[in-house]
Amino acid sequence: SQYHKMYRTVKATSGRQIFQPLHTLRNAEKALLPGYHHFEWQPALKNVSTSTDVGIIDGLLGWTPSVDDQQMDTITRRFRYDVALVAALKDLEEDILEGMKEQGLDDSSTEGFTVVVKESCDGMGDVSEKHGSGPAVPEKAVRFSFTIMSILARNEEGENVKVFHELKPNSELCCKPLCLMFADDSDHEPLTAILGPVMAEREDMKESRLILSIGGLLRSFRFIFRGTGYDEKLVRDVEGLEASGSTYICTLCDSTRAEASKNKVLHAITRSHEENLKRYEIWRTNPYSESADDLRDRVKEFSANLYGAQACIDALHCDIGNA
């Protein structure tokens, strides 16, 4: 309404139409938002429909509550992951073609493109209404987003060469929001219920190829996902580790506080997501019928439920290394 008021005022006082009317902007925006471009997956993705014109969806869609689950008191909106990735790639269409030219690649090459995607998720802090009477939802928000870091293409010799590289990977210009929710990032249940379907879509995409028109030719893309945008609190939450006060201070190895204070140099990454899953199973089933203390010592610091986050070097290891 503010824009419309400005548009009318300027038009009336200057007699010239400097601003575009609102409906033309709305139409122009449609081509930039996910859900505009056609594409295909080979093989087709299991968890989502084959329609490509899907815009903003309810973030609780993929979540099926069981009988004893509470009703989720949250509002969440997201894009379908694959649709959002397509929109991001189409944004970079000119850069990709330019990069292919610079690398001396044949313009007609359609196979062997690989896209590296950085995933990020963090709490956005307090978003409460100061004196509104909106819906009863948590007063904090969480955003899950991704950035296309680089795109590789295969040349005639079979080597992978970079045709696109994000020069400012931390800029808000290349950070594409995928999901916004009213939730506290310390609250495990809504976080995993909402992000679970997003993760399922991601796991599917790892096994499939995207067929998308770039520069007028259908080209095939594979995706590599890197979960390097989670802070330590969130990594602990989604990997099922104890919270930050734990005596096990590291998300990547079994070092305790006492050990880490003595050894500041020799650290190895001994944990991966797969390893965490194995330990979680042991913690859940207790196959050796051990006491709680012995069990904890066996799995080191496992506690909560979990879903997949990629292992990555975290701030703590950088600190230990720097020290």
Side-chain angles (χ1 to χ4, degrees):
S1 60
Q2 261 181 318
Y3 179 87
H4 195 65
K5 208 192 291 179
M6 182 76 118
Y7 163 72
R8 280 194 323 226
T9 315
V10 170
K11 196 172 174 188
T13 51
S14 67
R16 294 205 311 270
Q17 187 172 328
I18 299 164
F19 290 123
Q20 293 293 315
L22 202 55
H23 64 91
T24 55
L25 289 186
R26 289 256 163 85
N27 284 333
E29 191 183 50
K30 278 186 189 135
L32 301 172
L33 284 172
Y36 185 76
H37 300 286
H38 291 283
F39 59 90
E40 188 193 341
W41 286 94
Q42 291 177 352
L45 300 183
K46 293 192 284 290
N47 288 305
V48 294
S49 71
T50 50
S51 56
T52 60
D53 53 349
V54 185
I56 295 173
I57 57 175
D58 184 346
L60 291 169
L61 271 184
W63 181 63
T64 40
S66 66
V67 181
D68 40 357
D69 272 333
Q70 279 175 300
Q71 189 57 44
M72 293 284 250
D73 61 337
T74 178
I75 299 172
T76 163
R77 296 283 177 271
R78 71 178 181 97
F79 294 113
R80 219 173 74 190
Y81 207 155
D82 59 330
V83 178
L85 282 170
V86 165
L89 280 176
K90 288 296 275 186
D91 258 359
L92 298 173
E93 187 166 20
E94 288 169 12
D95 296 330
I96 295 171
L97 295 171
E98 190 66 35
M100 287 173 69
K101 207 180 289 171
E102 278 171 19
Q103 294 287 0
L105 291 173
D106 184 7
D107 195 28
S108 60
S109 67
T110 56
E111 292 294 315
F113 288 87
T114 307
V115 184
V116 179
V117 178
K118 174 180 86 169
E119 292 185 331
S120 310
C121 183
D122 196 10
M124 295 166 67
D126 179 14
V127 291
S128 60
E129 295 179 275
K130 292 298 167 272
H131 35 65
S133 53
V137 293
E139 309 213 309
K140 292 188 163 185
V142 175
R143 173 179 56 191
F144 184 97
S145 55
F146 66 88
T147 301
I148 291 185
M149 298 296 277
S150 60
I151 300 172
L152 307 167
R154 204 176 298 124
N155 61 15
E156 277 90 45
E157 289 82 61
E159 301 164 332
N160 282 335
V161 292
K162 262 190 192 162
V163 293
F164 169 77
H165 177 62
E166 181 53 64
L167 294 172
K168 295 184 177 169
N170 294 332
S171 153
E172 63 270 29
L173 297 177
C174 59
C175 165
K176 310 283 181 191
L178 182 69
C179 176
L180 286 166
M181 55 191 129
F182 283 115
D184 187 336
D185 61 339
S186 313
D187 197 350
H188 184 78
E189 279 72 25
L191 200 68
T192 45
I194 293 163
L195 291 182
V198 178
M199 297 300 130
E201 285 174 31
R202 175 187 69 186
E203 293 310 304
D204 254 10
M205 288 190 284
K206 287 180 184 175
E207 309 301 319
S208 188
R209 290 177 315 138
L210 170 71
I211 311 297
L212 175 68
S213 160
I214 294 284
L217 286 175
L218 290 176
R219 304 180 200 262
S220 118
F221 295 87
R222 284 195 177 283
F223 289 90
I224 296 173
F225 295 93
R226 297 267 180 266
T228 51
Y230 305 125
D231 59 11
E232 192 190 347
K233 177 176 163 188
L234 199 81
V235 168
R236 283 176 178 275
D237 190 46
V238 298
E239 284 286 328
L241 309 177
E242 289 171 3
S244 54
S246 169
T247 163
Y248 297 99
I249 63 167
C250 183
T251 53
L252 297 179
C253 69
D254 296 330
S255 179
T256 61
R257 286 170 190 272
E259 286 164 14
S261 64
K262 291 194 194 78
N263 166 12
K264 293 190 176 68
V265 194
L266 301 167
H267 283 274
I269 296 182
T270 54
R271 265 209 211 135
S272 63
H273 181 61
E274 286 69 32
E275 170 70 12
N276 284 349
L277 282 174
K278 276 186 211 140
R279 293 190 193 192
Y280 173 67
E281 272 312 298
I282 292 176
W283 180 82
R284 200 175 62 81
T285 54
N286 193 3
Y288 308 106
S289 310
E290 291 162 309
S291 71
D293 286 349
D294 292 346
L295 183 61
R296 177 173 186 255
D297 195 51
R298 178 183 292 278
V299 298
K300 299 302 186 210
E301 53 166 334
F302 261 70
S303 52
N305 292 330
L306 70 168
Y307 71 77
Q310 276 250 350
C312 55
I313 191 86
D314 61 349
L316 178 77
H317 266 84
C318 296
D319 285 348
I320 293 172
N322 290 342

